[in-house]
Amino acid sequence: MSKVFFDVGISLDGFIAGANRGPKNPIGDNGLAIHDWMFIQKSFREHLGMEGGEDNNQDNDLIEEVFNRIGANIMGSHMFEEGEVSWPEDAPFHTPVYVLTHKKREPWKRKGGTTFYFTDEHIEKVLEKAKKDAGQKDVRISGGADTIQQYLNAGLVDEFGIHIAPLFLGKGIKLFDKIDKEKFSLKVSNVIDSSLVTHLFYKVVKK
Amino acid sequence: MRKLIFAINITVDGFADHTSVIADDELHDFYTDLLNSFDIILFGRKTYQLFESFWPTADKDPQSTKSMLRFADKINGLHKIVFSKTLHQVAWNNTKLVKDNVLEEITRLKQQPGKNLSTGGISFSSSLMKAGLIDEFWFLVHPIVSGSGRRLFNEIDIKAKLKLLETQVFKSGVVAMHYLK
């Protein structure tokens, strides 16, 4: 059974991105530092078409596992606009990607199996389509924070992973904001620590 | 030199008021062990008043568990300093009230020989974080979303990158993360 999940890096003070984010300043001020642990891993670099990197460690394996389970992605328009100008032609998804936006646009096919579909349908409808595309694989709510919150509050997320980087951003976009706590509770499913980051995995239990 | 260690319970979504989380026996045992490495606890007014209203008389409360009583015994015996301009007196034993020059006083304490110093709470610890006085952090992340309340981190401006020392997972699903500045 296909699962719906999100998997994001955050700062210790809970930010998914720094202040002043936008296409010219991806992930906001100092936001890239949240993902420092990822940039040095071989599996992550491979997905962005870069050489080198470390392997043979749990951080690297984890990235690989997450990539491998994804059959379709859903993202918000801000995330897409930031990525559109910086992802390589072989965009790092290799699945259908549904972009939630009111701007009408034809599907955008990239090298390597990524196709972006632009839709203003209800989030639940979009998820149905993504699930169909994903088949046995899982659907990732890629981000940003607002899209993740919408799916969480709609009770549509089964589980999630957060990767807590050992730094503070002070300002920016909180991952967990406007959360409706009446909708669900959480159960820890796994905790993996490395010297660079703490990986926490939770199951979302509907109330 | 003594280190100042900050420990706090926090929800997955970043709220840290004392009403957001409930500590079970395992957590009280954890905190009792942690207290063994300190010889003074530093309080801001709010956390102090909350603690003072319960721990000195915890042994009179029929709902107190053995773990809570061990914690009570430990914290009641430790030296405590509360920093507040508005408090006039303190009733908890071994407690001293300091009204002014908070940062200077803490800097002086850190230079003295002895075991480490402990602190907690939101407002008070934020000012110590900003002043760069905290050396180690324990964040105990509870598997709950609170949705509202007081956030632990409100626009704190610390450029330092921390080093993760260890992670501990409790039966309740609480994950304790220990960082060094």
Side-chain angles (χ1 to χ4, degrees), chain A residues 166 170 176 181 188 193-194 198, chain B residues 146 151 155-156 162 164 167 173:
Chain A
F176 296 110
K181 68 167 177 176
V188 166
D193 61 347
S194 77
T198 312
Chain B
S146 188
R151 286 203 186 269
E155 307 223 335
I156 55 160
L162 307 180
L164 180 65
T167 306

Side-chain angles (χ1 to χ4, degrees), chain A residues 52-63:
Chain A
E54 296 175 16
D55 57 3
N56 212 1
N57 70 65
Q58 53 187 5
D59 294 336
N60 185 67
D61 295 348
L62 206 65
I63 295 169

